[in-house]
Amino acid sequence: MRPLADKFGRAINYLRISVTDRCNLRCTYCMPAEGIALKTHAEILSYEEIVEICQTAVGLGINKIRLTGGEPLVRRDICELVSGIAKIPGLQDLALTTNGVHLKALAFNLKKAGLRRVNISLDSLDPLKYQRITRGGNLSDVLQGIEAALAAGLAPVKINIVLQSGFNDDEVEAFMSYAARLGIKLQFIRQMSLSQGKPAVPADNVCTRPPDCRQCNRIRLTADGKFKPCLFSDLEIDARTVGAERALRLAVEGKPEAGQACYKREMVQIGG
Ligand code: SAM
Ligand code: SF4
């Protein structure tokens, strides 16, 4: 299958899908303290619609799909969606990004449904700091979720850490020994500001995310059915209005050479 290519010659083979705008945490860098105005049930894509869009996307050369949110594991019967997408011929990789709170309960069934691997977001190994950054989260839920993911055979398990100066930059070594002990991988992420465009903090040697715009192979789908060419762009193309194929092609065509800024949505509504 010849992959989709944008006008700068980048092959676009990776679709990130936000399956819900809801979340059971309120991470300070992702979601305003008061929450966001949630979409109605009718606005949110049904599982049938998402699977159909994925079939179209895979037919056009997408071979890697990641489910994100909000928090994907708060959407009811998420394993049904995973199973529907996993069956699409030609799809090579199906992954999910989660805060891990519900993984203990769901890891086994997610694996059974066809999920390959998970990224779990965890910004501190200190229970109080974790509670502070997530505005109320319980660290032990996530640690148990990580162990459940490993026991279920989801592989590789990666931990996403948004590195914040003065908050968790003193925990890099602790994270490294935790990861070595469990045999998991770490991804340190530079904190980003959607409205300022691109990372809000300078580059350093620890963070490997976000990737360089020149190497971007991504396209995004919001929970309410809009294709987004770039995290840092306000361009959105509605799959329901113009159809999935045309919306995806237009989004790929509209991909900017490098990210600019996004004012329309919060990170929680795009999925990182
Ligand atoms: N709720 C899930 C989770 O937390 O993993 C999935 C959605 S979350 C928006 C996806 C990823 O985006 C997480 O790893 C999160 O840490 C990251 N993220 C959110 N806001 C960010 C920001 N301002 N800068 C960098 N990464 C961010
Ligand atoms: Fe929710 Fe994930 Fe955003 Fe935290 S990072 S508020 S868990 S969507």
Side-chain angles (χ1 to χ4, degrees):
M1 169 65 58
R2 221 168 109 251
L4 289 161
D6 72 2
K7 55 180 187 278
F8 304 100
R10 294 172 296 197
I12 309 300
N13 67 330
Y14 176 18
L15 175 62
R16 294 176 65 102
I17 304 175
S18 167
V19 300
T20 178
D21 56 354
R22 282 151 214 260
C23 188
N24 47 352
L25 297 179
R26 292 276 179 283
C27 302
T28 53
Y29 49 75
C30 179
M31 162 105 87
E34 66 281 11
I36 50 152
L38 295 171
K39 302 284 175 193
T40 63
H41 181 71
E43 286 173 295
I44 299 292
L45 293 175
S46 68
Y47 284 171
E48 291 72 19
E49 286 177 300
I50 297 177
V51 172
E52 251 184 69
I53 291 173
C54 290
Q55 284 164 342
T56 303
V58 173
L60 293 173
I62 296 291
N63 58 22
K64 171 176 174 182
I65 292 178
R66 176 175 297 279
L67 305 180
T68 174
E71 170 48 40
L73 302 190
V74 302
R75 185 148 174 192
R76 193 177 301 173
D77 300 325
I78 186 71
C79 295
E80 278 178 23
L81 177 65
V82 168
S83 158
I85 298 174
K87 288 193 188 96
I88 299 174
L91 184 67
Q92 289 169 17
D93 189 15
L94 180 56
L96 178 138
T97 301
T98 171
N99 60 33
V101 170
H102 290 317
L103 254 187
K104 186 181 176 192
L106 288 170
F108 180 78
N109 286 339
L110 285 166
K111 170 75 181 169
K112 210 166 111 195
L115 187 71
R116 291 225 176 157
R117 57 199 187 89
V118 278
N119 286 23
I120 301 162
S121 304
L122 173 60
D123 293 331
S124 177
L125 291 167
D126 174 307
L128 286 177
K129 279 164 76 176
Y130 180 77
Q131 191 179 51
R132 196 146 45 95
I133 197 77
T134 57
R135 300 197 184 95
N138 177 9
L139 176 66
S140 87
D141 292 343
V142 188
L143 299 181
Q144 290 178 55
I146 292 169
E147 289 180 14
L150 287 167
L154 291 163
V157 170
K158 294 186 189 169
I159 305 296
N160 284 359
I161 305 144
V162 178
L163 205 61
Q164 295 150 88
S165 163
F167 173 72
N168 59 1
D169 52 350
D170 58 340
E171 291 192 65
V172 172
E173 277 181 24
F175 269 114
M176 284 178 171
S177 43
Y178 172 73
R181 189 153 44 83
L182 269 71
I184 57 183
K185 300 188 173 174
L186 300 176
Q187 292 194 141
F188 290 99
I189 304 172
R190 285 158 77 197
Q191 188 177 341
M192 297 178 270
S193 160
L194 289 174
S195 59
Q196 284 169 29
K198 305 209 276 182
V201 291
D204 61 43
N205 295 327
V206 182
C207 295
T208 55
R209 292 283 186 274
D212 186 334
C213 293
R214 284 171 298 187
Q215 264 108 54
C216 186
N217 61 347
R218 304 169 174 200
I219 210 86
R220 291 177 164 78
L221 179 67
T222 63
D224 56 341
K226 314 284 195 292
F227 276 102
K228 264 183 86 68
C230 171
L231 189 57
F232 298 102
S233 160
D234 273 330
L235 181 62
E236 296 187 349
I237 297 138
D238 188 359
R240 277 178 173 156
T241 312
V242 303
E245 173 165 354
R246 188 159 158 68
L248 176 53
R249 287 191 188 280
L250 287 172
V252 170
E253 269 170 39
K255 224 174 136 53
E257 185 167 19
Q260 276 126 32
C262 171
Y263 302 101
K264 274 190 189 166
R265 293 184 189 253
E266 302 288 345
M267 197 69 89
V268 64
Q269 298 165 300
I270 311 174

